[in-house]
Amino acid sequence: MKVVEMYRLKPEAKLKLPLLLFRTPAGYPSPADDYIEERIDLNKKLIKHPETTYFVRVIGDSMIEARIYDGDYLIVDRALEPDNNDIVLAVLNGEITVKRLVKKAKRWYLVAANPNYPPCEITPEMDFEVWGKVTYIFHPVE
């Protein structure tokens, strides 16, 4: 899975959306304004480290079993230390990719979430860096 766009978060940006007291049924309009409990700021709810957080858009099908699909947007936090089995944004030999970081028998691998792609063992000869940890996935609705 490749990154096609990357956006830096503007820490001063606020996005306050209504939080409703009830579940909204799909397909039937409701007078929702009568049920607004409060407004929530998605930046505060989703972003722990504004200075080190990025939004990226990805293409490809290598992470479909992790429910990351072609055209999705990811929130990537560079301040979080990735651990075994985390989904990461990595730079491997100059290519930016999204994969699962897996440790087996003291060796590290980048593993796709699609059986059509083999795991890639990270060796000392490779130019490799974990650039950030994926914290949220957004599927665009069209």
Side-chain angles (χ1 to χ4, degrees):
M1 180 150 275
K2 292 187 178 189
V3 173
V4 291
E5 294 176 284
M6 185 176 294
Y7 305 95
R8 181 87 196 259
L9 175 70
K10 290 183 179 179
E12 69 278 359
K14 303 283 186 233
L15 177 59
K16 293 191 177 189
L17 299 175
L19 175 64
L20 302 179
L21 288 170
F22 64 94
R23 294 186 186 269
T24 304
Y28 182 74
S30 172
D33 286 341
D34 295 339
Y35 298 97
I36 294 176
E37 180 178 346
E38 64 179 291
R39 292 197 173 266
I40 61 171
D41 183 347
L42 289 180
N43 289 320
K44 286 183 180 179
K45 294 288 184 187
L46 302 178
I47 311 240
K48 292 180 182 177
H49 306 103
E51 272 52 350
T52 59
T53 299
Y54 292 79
F55 294 90
V56 300
R57 187 170 148 253
V58 295
I59 59 170
D61 65 352
S62 68
M63 296 300 290
I64 58 174
E65 290 183 3
R67 293 180 294 239
I68 301 175
Y69 305 106
D70 189 67
D72 279 356
Y73 290 88
L74 310 177
I75 295 179
V76 178
D77 190 335
R78 295 196 74 190
L80 298 176
E81 190 69 32
D83 200 4
N84 183 37
N85 217 30
D86 282 343
I87 297 175
V88 298
L89 187 72
V91 181
L92 179 62
N93 297 326
E95 296 280 327
I96 302 173
T97 188
V98 175
K99 297 288 183 281
R100 193 171 296 279
L101 185 65
V102 176
K103 186 175 187 179
K104 290 183 183 178
K106 297 185 181 181
R107 294 182 178 177
W108 287 97
Y109 298 84
L110 288 178
V111 179
N114 181 333
N116 294 326
Y117 297 90
C120 175
E121 182 180 354
I122 305 305
T123 64
E125 303 82 47
M126 295 177 168
D127 181 20
F128 174 74
E129 176 187 5
V130 173
W131 199 82
K133 180 177 172 177
V134 174
T135 57
Y136 290 95
I137 305 161
F138 293 94
H139 308 292
V141 178
E142 299 191 25

